[in-house]
């Protein structure tokens, strides 16, 4: 069975269980400053999990592209990826634990659906702590299923919060979860009990029972509705269905591995090191392709999402050097394979192909230059050192690593190499490789260098964590009055931009905190101060007109026919919400005398514009090529 079949089966199953299929969202979250990427299918559903009404109903299912960068350094094993596809089903205050668990069991084990071997499945449930008790209900539901199937109850483990609790770190809907694992090891040696440390048990599905809201102060409150949020990992289940214990052997990766074998003349199975490099390269290139070609695509840069793309590409190139790939712009060659694999699943890949190739090539050329520059600085430093010493480095000083800089210059320590990495992106592993070319390896105290480097890196990470904690304060998770006001202001701003700059302006992203609004839009040149003044005027006039903000639900087709703005593509013809800002006819609740703005949007918004106060643009700047960015605030 290939991945396409699994993609469809999942949605079919939940359709049969009365779920509405909704489109996956962009990889770049809108109006949510707490995260850089969509990390799970529940992400675009946060307002609905908190109680907003969803236009498609209370039972939903979707296919969501996800990016997780938290453990980018760990990618390289059999089952972890930066980009992955999540299949999910949701109950928004509808069914709860019993149905959720039974649906999962039926889909996984029934021969009408996936027909997985029941004997290879294991479960974990939340053991309880001071915030919430042991999830007895989930345990009992599973125990009943296991007993009915003669399976050992020891395969249902009770684990702590770090394993069995799910929510976005910064806050919002969350709760205990139950996770389903599949034994990917030897069929004759399936352990009688579940053990979290054995990585042949692979987590394939997570069912979260979201009955809590984590507040900004870190405490939990009970939500007004009990939700279910589940996520099944497509790559893992797809590999399992094909009988592989390594996701990279499946049809979602193998063509990329084959291409790398051709490019490098090496074999995937040659050694663990080669395997690791090929896994990392294919993972990173795929993730970079997905981010760049997203409908709200992002090019490599030094900030936010763009920085992640840059890091992914640079790491891929670095591992490419280890494979000694000779071909020049090989990233593009791999990206073409990603397009072969996913082009028919995600049309945006083909639509944004030119933008993708251009950026990959540009970044590769730039990074190769960076590497050259780094190498130059490194060797200049070594040679200068030799000169100063005024003598050739002597072999007989071997025992004297710490005291005498005869082996490698004392200034080329881990701290210095960290600076080289910071300023030129020149990675430590490469530095060490290069130094080894210039000095016998027994002269190099690798451990000491690595320790110094890591200490410096940690200091730096602490600084940037503090900075981003400040930056990401507030936001959708607490949907405060201030964020909602700025959200409505964003709609007014888009309408004003189109009036002043022209109909080519579309929204490319937005990011709202309680303090300010950041709005990216397509426009080829700087917006002049006069134009900014005019835009502010139009928005402020709209605010003073005290327009009504009206929400209506309708099929996407109708919303588009009415000219509602919004980056929203749908394969499933679902219902959407349209927010219209204008003056209603006397006594009507959806017939307008005058329309100022109309957008497809999940909400929430204010009811009348007057409450927004005064709109002020604080900054206008370039965001990336062809995209401008405005930062604005509301003053009372
Ligand atoms: N949100 C949960 C997860 O990401 C279930 O989808 O694991």
């Amino acid at each position: 069975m290939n991945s396409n079949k699994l993609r469809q089966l999942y949605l079919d199953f939940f359709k049969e269980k009365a779920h509405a299929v909704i489109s996956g969202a962009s990889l770049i979250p809108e109006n949510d400053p707490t995260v850089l990427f969509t990390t799970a299918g529940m992400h675009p559903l946060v307002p609905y999990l908190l109680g907003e009404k969803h236009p498609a109903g209370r039972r939903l299912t979707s296919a969501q592209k996800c990016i997780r960068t938290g453990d980018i350094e760990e990618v390289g094993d059999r089952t972890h990826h930066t980009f992955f596809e999540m299949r999910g089903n949701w109950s928004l205050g509808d069914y709860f634990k019993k149905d959720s668990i039974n649906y999962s069991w039926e889909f996984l084990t029934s021969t009408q659906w996936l027909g997985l071997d029941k004997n290879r499945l294991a479960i974990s449930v939340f053991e309880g702590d001071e915030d919430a008790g042991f999830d007895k209900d989930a345990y009992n539901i599973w125990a009943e299923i296991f007993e009915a199937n003669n399976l050992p109850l020891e395969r249902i483990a009770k684990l702590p919060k770090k394993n069995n609790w799910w929510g976005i770190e910064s806050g919002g809907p969350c709760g205990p979860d139950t996770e389903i694992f599949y034994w990917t090891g030897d069929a004759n040696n399936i352990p009688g009990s579940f053990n979290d440390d054995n990585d042949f048990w692979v987590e394939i599905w997570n069912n979260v029972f979201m009955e809590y809201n984590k507040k900004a102060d870190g405490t939990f409150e009970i939500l007004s509705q009990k939700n279910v949020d589940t996520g099944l990992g497509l790559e893992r289940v797809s590999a399992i269905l094909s009988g592989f214990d390594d996701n990279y052997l499946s049809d979602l990766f193998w063509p990329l591995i084959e291409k790398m074998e051709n490019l490098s003349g090496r074999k995937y199975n040659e050694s663990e090191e080669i395997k690791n490099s090929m896994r990392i390269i294919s993972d990173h290139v795929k993730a970079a392709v997905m981010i760049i070609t997203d409908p709200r695509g992002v090019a490599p840069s030094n900030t936010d999402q763009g920085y992640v793309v840059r890091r992914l590409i640079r790491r891929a190139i670095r591992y490419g050097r280890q494979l000694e790939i000779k071909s020049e712009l090989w990233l593009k060659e791999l990206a073409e394979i990603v397009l072969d694999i996913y082009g028919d699943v995600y049309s945006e890949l083909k639509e944004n192909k030119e933008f993708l190739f251009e950026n990959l090539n540009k970044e590769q050329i730039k990074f190769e230059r960076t590497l050259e520059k780094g190498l130059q600085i490194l060797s200049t430093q070594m040679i200068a050192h030799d000169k100063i010493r005024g003598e050739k480095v002597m072999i007989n000083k071997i025992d004297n690593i710490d005291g005498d800089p005869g082996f490698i210059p004392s200034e080329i320590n881990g701290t210095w190499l960290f600076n080289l990495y910071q300023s030129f992106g020149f990675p430590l592993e490469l530095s060490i490789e290069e130094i080894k070319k210039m000095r016998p390896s027994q002269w190099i105290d690798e451990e000491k260098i690595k320790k110094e480097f890591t200490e410096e890196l940690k200091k730096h990470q602490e600084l940037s964590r503090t900075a981003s904690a400040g930056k990401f304060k507030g936001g959708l998770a607490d949907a405060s009055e201030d964020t909602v006001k700025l959200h409505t202001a964003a709609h007014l701003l888009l309408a004003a931009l189109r009036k002043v700059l022209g109909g080519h302006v579309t929204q490319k992203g937005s990011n709202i905190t309680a303090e300010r609004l950041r709005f990216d839009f397509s426009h080829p040149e700087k917006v002049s101060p006069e134009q900014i003044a005019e835009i502010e005027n139009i928005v402020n006039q709209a605010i003073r007109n005290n327009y009504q903000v009206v929400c209506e639900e309708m099929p996407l087709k109708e919303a588009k026919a009415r000219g509602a703005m919004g980056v929203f593509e749908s394969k499933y013809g679902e219902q959407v919400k349209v927010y219209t800002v204008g003056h209603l006819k006397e006594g009507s609740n959806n017939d307008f005398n005058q329309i100022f703005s109309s957008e497809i949007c999940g909400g929430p918004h204010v009811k009348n514009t007057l409450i927004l106060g005064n709109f002020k643009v604080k900054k206008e700047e370039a965001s990336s090529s062809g995209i401008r960015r405005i930062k604005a605030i509301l003053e009372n």
Side-chain angles (χ1 to χ4, degrees):
M1 173 158 357
N2 64 24
S3 50
N4 271 336
K5 204 157 162 197
L6 173 61
R7 281 194 182 96
Q8 198 52 44
L9 271 182
Y10 187 95
L11 300 181
D12 287 348
F13 175 84
F14 282 99
K15 244 193 288 187
E16 200 170 273
K17 306 288 180 201
H19 288 63
V21 183
I22 57 166
S23 299
S26 160
L27 271 175
I28 319 293
E30 187 165 19
N31 299 328
D32 187 348
T34 58
V35 284
L36 288 178
F37 294 104
T38 300
T39 58
M42 60 75 78
H43 224 121
L45 296 173
V46 168
Y48 311 105
L49 292 161
L50 292 173
E52 280 272 311
K53 180 173 178 282
H54 194 287
R58 301 205 302 167
R59 290 174 170 233
L60 310 173
T61 182
S62 85
Q64 180 63 54
K65 297 192 284 186
C66 301
I67 291 276
R68 287 191 188 175
T69 53
D71 38 29
I72 204 174
E73 307 282 345
E74 267 130 61
V75 171
D77 68 1
R78 294 172 295 119
T79 57
H80 286 90
H81 310 298
T82 312
F83 168 85
F84 63 98
E85 291 179 81
M86 188 182 275
R87 286 294 180 268
N89 60 284
W90 289 273
S91 156
L92 303 172
D94 196 75
Y95 61 86
F96 206 42
K97 299 181 187 181
K98 194 168 175 70
D99 284 342
S100 169
I101 290 174
N102 277 299
Y103 287 155
S104 295
W105 183 256
E106 182 185 346
F107 180 67
L108 293 174
T109 63
S110 156
T111 47
Q112 200 194 330
W113 300 99
L114 300 192
L116 293 184
D117 180 359
K118 295 172 187 171
N119 197 31
R120 282 178 180 259
L121 295 173
I123 306 297
S124 65
V125 299
F126 180 53
E127 69 174 13
D129 63 11
E130 65 283 357
D131 295 321
F134 162 50
D135 196 348
K136 204 159 98 203
D137 295 344
Y139 182 87
N140 288 341
I141 297 163
W142 279 119
E144 203 177 301
I145 293 175
F146 269 50
E147 272 166 357
N149 287 280
N150 285 326
L151 297 169
L153 290 183
E154 291 73 26
R155 287 203 192 127
I156 310 175
K158 299 169 194 164
L159 299 178
K161 199 173 234 141
K162 101 178 158 27
N163 304 72
N164 283 77
W165 186 275
W166 206 92
I168 298 171
E169 189 53 38
S170 52
C174 58
D177 67 40
T178 178
E179 301 181 2
I180 306 175
F181 297 81
Y182 184 86
W183 176 253
T184 57
D186 183 357
N188 300 316
N189 276 317
I190 308 178
S193 61
F194 173 73
N195 172 3
D196 183 43
D197 291 332
N198 186 334
D199 61 10
F200 281 104
W201 285 115
V202 174
E203 185 197 340
I204 54 173
W205 206 340
N206 183 14
N207 297 28
V208 190
F209 305 120
M210 293 191 155
E211 37 178 337
Y212 298 93
N213 181 28
K214 183 176 168 191
K215 294 193 291 185
D217 64 4
T219 60
F220 298 91
E221 65 184 4
I222 302 270
L223 280 173
S224 58
Q225 64 187 35
K226 290 187 193 320
N227 307 292
V228 173
D229 153 45
T230 93
L232 170 133
L234 185 89
E235 289 74 7
R236 292 180 180 182
V237 178
S238 201
I240 285 167
L241 288 169
S242 306
F244 299 131
D245 66 357
D246 173 355
N247 293 0
Y248 292 86
L249 302 179
S250 77
D251 60 355
L252 295 171
F253 283 99
W254 187 248
L256 285 164
I257 304 283
E258 272 182 325
K259 182 75 191 178
M260 268 179 283
E261 289 189 335
N262 288 339
L263 285 169
S264 65
R266 314 297 292 263
K267 285 281 169 215
Y268 181 66
N269 281 324
E270 203 177 298
S271 69
E272 277 309 307
E273 209 184 330
I274 297 284
K275 218 179 231 182
N276 190 262
S277 298
M278 289 190 176
R279 285 172 177 170
I280 292 175
I281 297 170
S282 56
D283 172 274
H284 286 13
V285 172
K286 189 197 278 193
V289 168
M290 292 295 178
I291 301 171
I292 298 174
T293 59
D294 188 87
R296 290 201 196 104
V298 182
S301 73
N302 278 335
T303 52
D304 299 340
Q305 289 95 345
Y307 180 62
V308 175
V309 183
R310 173 157 286 166
R311 247 190 103 196
L312 288 165
I313 293 176
R314 291 184 166 191
R315 284 192 96 225
I317 294 175
R318 214 179 89 204
Y319 282 94
R321 284 174 72 99
Q322 286 178 7
L323 294 180
E324 295 174 23
I325 296 179
K326 294 285 178 300
S327 164
E328 273 195 0
L329 295 173
W330 56 269
L331 281 179
K332 174 174 177 279
E333 293 186 54
L334 281 182
E336 277 166 355
I337 309 287
V338 179
L339 255 76
D340 290 344
I341 303 176
Y342 292 96
D344 292 334
V345 185
Y346 300 110
S347 58
E348 57 268 31
L349 265 72
K350 287 181 182 158
E351 283 152 23
N352 301 320
K353 197 163 94 173
E354 298 313 320
F355 181 67
L356 168 71
F357 292 157
E358 187 192 312
N359 273 295
L360 286 180
N361 285 346
K362 226 164 58 186
E363 190 65 16
Q364 180 151 23
I365 292 167
K366 194 167 165 181
F367 188 50
E368 304 277 2
R369 264 195 226 129
T370 296
L371 289 180
E372 256 164 53
K373 179 113 194 152
L375 277 178
Q376 229 174 35
I377 293 177
L378 189 60
S379 54
T380 310
Q381 189 80 354
M382 301 280 272
I383 292 162
H385 166 265
D386 284 356
K387 268 211 189 113
I388 290 166
R389 288 190 81 230
E391 56 173 303
K392 281 218 156 161
V393 176
M394 306 289 285
I395 298 247
N396 61 15
K397 289 186 179 167
I398 274 173
D399 298 333
N400 202 3
I401 286 182
D402 281 329
D404 189 323
F407 302 93
I408 57 167
S410 57
E411 65 273 26
I412 301 190
N413 52 25
T415 313
W416 190 85
L417 292 174
F418 179 78
N419 287 334
L420 190 66
Y421 163 75
Q422 269 292 93
S423 328
F424 297 98
F426 198 82
L428 179 67
E429 290 78 359
L430 262 186
S431 294
I432 293 179
E433 261 168 49
E434 290 305 321
I435 298 170
K436 277 182 184 166
K437 282 186 199 157
M438 297 184 244
R439 297 285 190 277
S441 60
Q442 67 267 33
W443 289 5
I444 300 160
D445 190 344
E446 245 181 81
E447 228 163 83
K448 179 167 161 275
I449 291 179
K450 279 188 179 152
K451 199 171 147 243
E452 290 161 348
F453 185 94
T454 315
E455 270 164 21
E456 207 55 33
L457 179 71
K458 267 197 203 132
K459 268 191 233 160
H460 180 80
Q461 279 171 338
E462 261 149 43
L463 282 177
S464 58
R465 240 196 302 276
T466 319
S468 57
K471 181 167 159 199
F472 293 150
K473 196 167 78 184
L476 189 73
D478 61 353
S480 68
E481 197 186 320
D482 289 334
T483 29
V484 174
K485 280 192 204 166
L486 281 161
H487 188 193
T488 307
H491 283 217
L492 302 183
L493 173 60
L494 176 61
L497 284 167
R498 287 167 60 85
K499 281 191 206 321
V500 175
L501 305 177
H504 61 277
V505 172
T506 55
Q507 177 171 345
K508 289 293 179 193
S510 95
N511 176 299
I512 295 171
T513 69
E515 289 84 23
R516 60 101 182 106
L517 140 75
R518 198 180 81 192
F519 192 84
D520 291 357
F521 57 97
S522 51
H523 186 58
E525 59 197 23
K526 189 161 177 56
V527 185
S528 72
E530 295 75 30
Q531 286 169 324
I532 294 281
E534 202 183 336
I535 290 160
E536 279 178 343
N537 249 335
I538 293 177
V539 173
N540 282 319
Q541 191 54 51
I543 293 174
R544 282 192 292 273
N545 283 348
N546 199 18
Y547 286 133
Q548 283 121 322
V549 184
V550 177
C551 175
E552 289 170 276
E553 290 174 20
M554 63 188 79
L556 178 66
K557 233 178 160 170
E558 192 186 325
K560 288 207 161 164
R562 281 202 197 178
M565 300 289 301
V567 191
F568 195 90
E569 289 308 324
S570 165
K571 297 184 193 120
Y572 313 107
E574 65 232 50
Q575 292 280 106
V576 295
K577 281 183 175 179
V578 173
Y579 279 89
T580 305
V581 182
H583 274 317
L584 283 170
K585 284 188 183 149
E586 200 61 48
S588 165
N589 57 11
N590 61 1
D591 200 2
F592 286 86
N593 265 333
Q594 192 195 350
I595 290 181
F596 181 78
S597 134
S598 177
E599 277 193 50
I600 300 168
C601 173
H605 284 281
V606 303
K607 294 255 177 301
N608 293 82
T609 57
L610 198 56
I611 190 178
L612 300 187
N614 190 53
F615 175 81
K616 180 132 197 59
V617 173
K618 298 296 278 187
K619 198 169 184 185
E620 192 275 345
E621 61 192 347
S623 164
S624 58
S625 151
I627 315 258
R628 308 294 305 179
R629 169 170 290 182
I630 277 183
K631 290 192 184 139
I633 56 165
L634 288 171
E635 304 163 323
N636 291 325

